[in-house]
Amino acid sequence: MSAADETRSAVRDRVHHAKDIDINAYDRHSREAQHPAALAEALKAVRRIPDTPSDSNSEAGYEAMEKPLQSVLLRRRSGTDSYDNSASDTPEILTLETSELDKKSSSERLHQSLSSPEFRSGGKGKKTYVVASDDAEIREILRRGLERERDKQSPVRHEKLRDMVFTRQFSAFDRQNQDAANSPFHGFYVLFWIAVAISIIKMAAENWRKTGNPLGTNEIMKTMFRRDVIVLLLSDGIMCGMTGVSWIIQRLVFLQYIDWERSGWILQNIWQTIFIASVVGLTLVRDWPWTHTVFFVLHGLVMLMKQHSYAFYNGHLSSVYKKRQSLLLKLKQLENISPVNSPSLTNPKVSTLSTSHLAHPPSADEYHERRHSLSKTRSTDQTDIESISRAIEAAEPLDMEQLHVFERLIKWEVDALTDELRGKATDLDHFYPNNLTFLNHYEYIVLPTVVYELQYPRSESIDWFYVAEKVCALVGVIFVMIMISQAFIYPVVMRTVYMKEAGWTVAERFREFPWMLSDLIFPFMMEYLLAWYLIWETVLNILAELTYFADRSFYDAWWNSVSWDQYARDWNRPVHNFLLRHVYHSSISSMRVNKHTATLITFFLSACVHELIMWCIFKKLRGYLLILQMCQLPLVKMSRTKWLRNQKTLGNILFWIGIFTGPSLLCSLYLIL
């Protein structure tokens, strides 16, 4: 419920026949564009503090209760925000000098204010409202508005990991996707594959005429299957099995042998470092060809992301579970306390506790929103629940009202934490900690996703004809990629090897660079498209069908991208979701950086991983790919300027120029230097 709704609800409760007040300044969208300092200074001017006595057990709260009651004016004044083009009004609170209002009740004062000249709407849209400072409910609403206004000013650690929404859907080129089948561009998709088939037939005929073999000299195929194929498959199976170490760590965390918030996450990061170092090291020890290396390193990175997501999500839930168990223990202790007859002097007093959230259903989202708000406004780290827990632990005397309110507050927190332990799951077996089973872990390992959730949408059965169709597509695409590489890329690579063996200088090799680049542009463009189709349309859909995984949104229409950030979001949705949850949002919460710095960290980490893959292939650390990928950030900024913001066709042209030239440029640089 927005603050505007809360304000109107309070007014209706206290003034039964007053007309409704439209307080646009407290709408959630407008609040984000307001200037919180103006409201805070106005409160300070009338000696009001954001933490009202009803929400703070500090000495300042009690001093505020002893001050003379004042009435204030809440006035809207126009203002704009650099992050929002829409006009917004900043509330201004002014002290009322009418002493007569202090002699009346809260309802009478508010009713009089509605009918008085002070409540007016000017020609410029300004309105003035009278709010009584002794109205606890109105104060609470104002406080919540102040808390939310500050959300953008001080980044605070969010305890809750970002929820990923998995739904039943198909990939864009899947024949089961009715939207794609009914697309007016479906014929171009069919034409593309017909053109590819004709090209492959022509290449096979040329090879047959020259060598007597449709595959030609077939060096690439020989490289792929010359040696260590069985070793590669066994190593890959062992690597997948070793991910169970992360499951063992989580079992130890649940059994309280390891504290996740202290040593658990450190132990997990140490294991992940050893894991990826072993994966890369094995490719060097075995001296595998680039085909083996690419497959093993990429699969190792996938297993690394899966382990990280599994460990850190369950590690977070272990902290929630521990907190819930602690509150249940306090609730049990509270039931054994006999109330005293006279009002208790034990702190916290009921009047100092915030109970407004009890009107909302307990949920994980409401719980974390409340914790986030309190962490910004409280002068101390001690929350209401912590104060209550201390009082219960000390076995101090409590009266009946305290027992009743304490019980309601603790039960609300317990229910909210239970909701978080449930997550999006509907089956009891998937609730934390029931999900920490051997079978659940390895079921997640084979699912086509790198973001762990307690439960995913599942299909009812396996369509084996669909699996066979995708397997045929898989084999066919690999065959096409080998033919293109053999015909167009392999000769260029061999030419650069000859230049180096013949002792050509760097300057001499650079004179060949433009011709080499032009020879590689179209072959690499085809290989890029086919490699993407091979993984995201065939391999992932095969895994999804075999594992009953119903969310097939592995990519979006990235070919329509008008900027590089859109491309980064759409071309690889599983990895994008991982980076969004575990890098972007985690850096904001744990490192307390703003969203721009978090974006920089995310892009830099992704660039480093891509550069690692290039090092594994070429055994050279040059940083070309890292530099080109980081150059996407200024290009993203440029796409948001007034010259390119609405130029979608131009943006898409620039995007495709980058896709055309990028892979061939990188390969040429690594081959020549």
Side-chain angles (χ1 to χ4, degrees):
M1 177 183 293
S2 67
D5 295 331
E6 294 175 340
T7 304
R8 287 195 289 271
S9 176
V11 170
R12 285 196 297 269
D13 291 339
R14 298 190 175 274
V15 186
H16 299 291
H17 302 291
K19 62 182 181 180
D20 294 338
I21 302 176
D22 177 20
I23 307 182
N24 294 326
Y26 280 91
D27 184 83
R28 180 180 296 275
H29 175 71
S30 299
R31 276 200 313 273
E32 294 178 355
Q34 291 169 1
H35 304 280
L39 188 52
E41 290 172 0
L43 287 172
K44 186 177 180 181
V46 295
R47 298 182 180 179
R48 295 282 306 283
I49 56 175
D51 292 327
T52 60
S54 60
D55 297 316
S56 175
N57 56 2
S58 63
E59 294 180 1
Y62 291 110
E63 292 174 0
M65 292 181 66
E66 296 173 358
K67 291 180 180 179
L69 297 176
Q70 294 176 312
S71 294
V72 296
L73 285 177
L74 178 65
R75 174 181 297 159
R76 299 190 309 170
R77 66 184 179 199
S78 60
T80 58
D81 191 285
S82 59
Y83 293 99
D84 194 343
N85 294 328
S86 60
S88 62
D89 293 327
T90 304
E92 179 184 6
I93 295 185
L94 305 173
T95 307
L96 284 180
E97 300 298 337
T98 40
S99 58
E100 297 177 357
L101 286 175
D102 296 331
K103 301 176 182 179
K104 299 183 180 182
S105 66
S106 174
S107 299
E108 291 173 342
R109 285 197 299 269
L110 194 54
H111 182 74
Q112 177 178 338
S113 69
L114 293 174
S115 58
S116 68
E118 290 294 324
F119 177 73
R120 61 185 179 271
S121 177
K124 295 183 179 180
K126 288 189 176 181
K127 293 183 180 179
T128 303
Y129 310 97
V130 177
V131 180
S133 62
D134 64 333
D135 190 329
E137 192 167 351
I138 296 296
R139 287 204 314 269
E140 172 66 15
I141 294 169
L142 292 175
R143 185 190 64 78
R144 289 168 66 91
L146 279 168
E147 293 168 358
R148 291 170 182 169
E149 284 173 349
R150 291 194 180 98
D151 284 353
K152 287 192 173 183
Q153 288 198 330
S154 56
V156 176
R157 179 182 178 87
H158 295 272
E159 297 178 9
K160 191 172 187 289
L161 291 175
R162 178 183 174 89
D163 287 329
M164 295 287 109
V165 179
F166 290 88
T167 58
R168 186 184 298 270
Q169 52 188 324
F170 298 104
S171 57
F173 289 118
D174 198 300
R175 62 175 173 81
Q176 300 178 86
N177 189 334
Q178 293 301 317
D179 292 336
N182 297 329
S183 170
F185 298 99
H186 182 70
F188 284 99
Y189 173 75
V190 176
L191 177 62
F192 171 81
W193 288 113
I194 292 176
V196 169
I198 294 174
S199 300
I200 295 302
I201 293 172
K202 182 179 182 299
M203 281 188 282
E206 287 289 332
N207 290 334
W208 177 267
R209 189 179 67 173
K210 293 179 180 178
T211 64
N213 186 342
L215 300 177
T217 53
N218 204 21
E219 287 88 354
I220 294 179
M221 188 77 76
K222 292 175 182 177
T223 301
M224 290 175 62
F225 297 101
R226 184 176 60 210
R227 67 180 182 89
D228 272 7
V229 176
I230 302 300
V231 174
L232 174 65
L233 296 177
L234 288 176
S235 301
D236 191 66
I238 294 172
M239 177 184 68
C240 294
M242 291 301 293
T243 60
V245 173
S246 296
W247 169 69
I248 294 174
I249 292 175
Q250 289 307 309
R251 289 297 303 177
L252 294 175
V253 169
F254 169 67
L255 297 174
Q256 298 184 5
Y257 291 107
I258 300 175
D259 188 336
W260 174 257
E261 294 184 342
R262 293 183 180 178
S263 59
W265 67 274
I266 299 176
L267 182 62
Q268 178 66 34
N269 281 322
I270 292 174
W271 159 244
Q272 289 175 184
T273 303
I274 295 173
F275 178 85
I276 194 61
S278 301
V279 169
V280 175
L282 183 60
T283 63
L284 299 176
V285 171
R286 299 296 302 180
D287 193 24
W288 279 338
W290 70 269
T291 52
H292 293 46
T293 299
V294 168
F295 169 78
F296 194 68
V297 173
L298 285 179
H299 203 198
L301 290 170
V302 169
M303 292 298 109
L304 178 70
M305 288 186 286
K306 279 180 172 285
Q307 290 183 87
H308 184 90
S309 185
Y310 179 87
F312 278 80
Y313 188 72
N314 282 301
H316 164 72
L317 292 182
S318 70
S319 301
V320 175
Y321 182 80
K322 185 190 298 184
K323 187 171 186 177
R324 179 180 177 274
Q325 294 300 103
S326 175
L327 290 177
L328 287 174
L329 180 61
K330 295 295 183 293
L331 195 61
K332 192 175 184 66
Q333 294 174 348
L334 191 64
E335 293 173 354
N336 297 326
I337 296 178
S338 300
V340 296
N341 294 327
S342 58
S344 173
L345 298 178
T346 302
N347 289 326
K349 301 291 184 61
V350 172
S351 59
T352 66
L353 298 175
S354 175
T355 59
S356 60
H357 63 285
L358 297 178
H360 304 279
S363 66
D365 292 334
E366 180 68 25
Y367 169 77
H368 285 284
E369 180 182 352
R370 173 173 166 74
R371 296 279 296 185
H372 179 56
S373 299
L374 291 177
S375 64
K376 290 177 176 293
T377 56
R378 289 295 173 92
S379 58
T380 64
D381 294 332
Q382 185 170 322
T383 64
D384 289 344
I385 291 297
E386 291 170 349
S387 302
I388 293 171
S389 299
R390 292 171 188 258
I392 295 173
E393 195 69 30
E396 297 179 358
L398 302 174
D399 57 39
M400 183 60 73
E401 186 180 11
Q402 283 179 313
L403 287 175
H404 178 67
V405 174
F406 288 4
E407 182 182 16
R408 288 183 62 201
L409 288 171
I410 293 177
K411 284 185 176 180
W412 192 95
E413 296 263 336
V414 168
D415 290 342
L417 295 174
T418 302
D419 181 70
E420 184 161 358
L421 294 174
R422 183 186 301 115
K424 303 295 182 183
T426 57
D427 187 357
L428 181 63
D429 292 337
H430 292 88
F431 297 174
Y432 186 91
N434 300 334
N435 66 312
L436 295 179
T437 64
F438 180 86
L439 181 62
N440 177 273
H441 169 76
Y442 282 103
E443 180 185 29
Y444 161 67
I445 290 299
V446 298
L447 292 178
T449 179
V450 291
V451 174
Y452 181 78
E453 284 290 339
L454 296 176
Q455 194 170 3
Y456 303 93
R458 311 305 285 267
S459 55
E460 291 76 17
S461 60
I462 298 177
D463 185 346
W464 291 105
F465 180 77
Y466 176 85
V467 173
E469 173 190 327
K470 290 297 181 183
V471 169
C472 291
L474 172 69
V475 175
V477 170
I478 292 176
F479 176 76
V480 171
M481 292 178 68
I482 292 174
M483 292 288 288
I484 292 175
S485 298
Q486 185 68 50
F488 300 105
I489 298 177
Y490 185 77
V492 177
V493 174
M494 289 296 101
R495 193 163 80 238
T496 60
V497 172
Y498 168 77
M499 287 189 290
K500 290 181 179 180
E501 291 178 349
W504 288 30
T505 64
V506 175
E508 291 174 332
R509 278 180 275 163
F510 254 110
R511 281 195 288 269
E512 293 292 318
F513 178 77
W515 309 108
M516 185 183 304
L517 185 63
S518 63
D519 290 339
L520 292 176
I521 280 182
F522 281 99
F524 261 104
M525 185 71 253
M526 283 297 299
E527 293 289 82
Y528 187 84
L529 293 175
L530 292 172
W532 170 82
Y533 188 87
L534 175 73
I535 298 173
W536 281 272
E537 180 60 33
T538 60
V539 173
L540 294 184
N541 270 310
I542 291 171
L543 283 175
E545 190 67 25
L546 293 176
T547 58
Y548 301 90
F549 191 78
D551 191 340
R552 314 287 174 88
S553 181
F554 304 124
Y555 57 90
D556 209 338
W558 58 268
W559 44 89
N560 294 327
S561 297
V562 297
S563 63
W564 288 102
D565 58 329
Q566 181 184 355
Y567 167 73
R569 290 191 302 268
D570 293 345
W571 87 285
N572 187 349
R573 295 295 295 277
V575 172
H576 165 71
N577 290 336
F578 174 86
L579 294 174
L580 185 65
R581 173 195 270 186
H582 296 289
V583 180
Y584 179 81
H585 285 288
S586 292
S587 60
I588 291 176
S589 61
S590 60
M591 300 173 65
R592 302 194 176 189
V593 299
N594 57 39
K595 62 180 183 179
H596 303 293
T597 305
T599 300
L600 178 63
I601 293 172
T602 304
F603 266 80
F604 182 72
L605 178 63
S606 176
C608 289
V609 172
H610 283 82
E611 188 62 36
L612 172 65
I613 297 171
M614 300 304 289
W615 177 76
C616 292
I617 296 174
F618 293 100
K619 305 298 187 294
K620 299 176 182 177
L621 188 61
R622 295 289 188 265
Y624 304 137
L625 180 54
L626 187 148
I627 294 172
L628 288 179
Q629 192 162 343
M630 294 306 295
C631 286
Q632 292 179 5
L633 289 175
L635 291 175
V636 169
K637 287 290 186 182
M638 186 177 69
S639 68
R640 295 175 180 174
T641 60
K642 61 181 180 180
W643 297 282
L644 292 176
R645 186 180 303 149
N646 297 319
Q647 303 294 328
K648 292 187 177 181
T649 301
L650 179 59
N652 192 240
I653 290 173
L654 295 175
F655 159 74
W656 274 113
I657 290 175
I659 293 295
F660 254 105
T661 58
S664 55
L665 176 63
L666 282 172
C667 184
S668 300
L669 288 173
Y670 276 105
L671 289 174
I672 287 181
L673 298 179

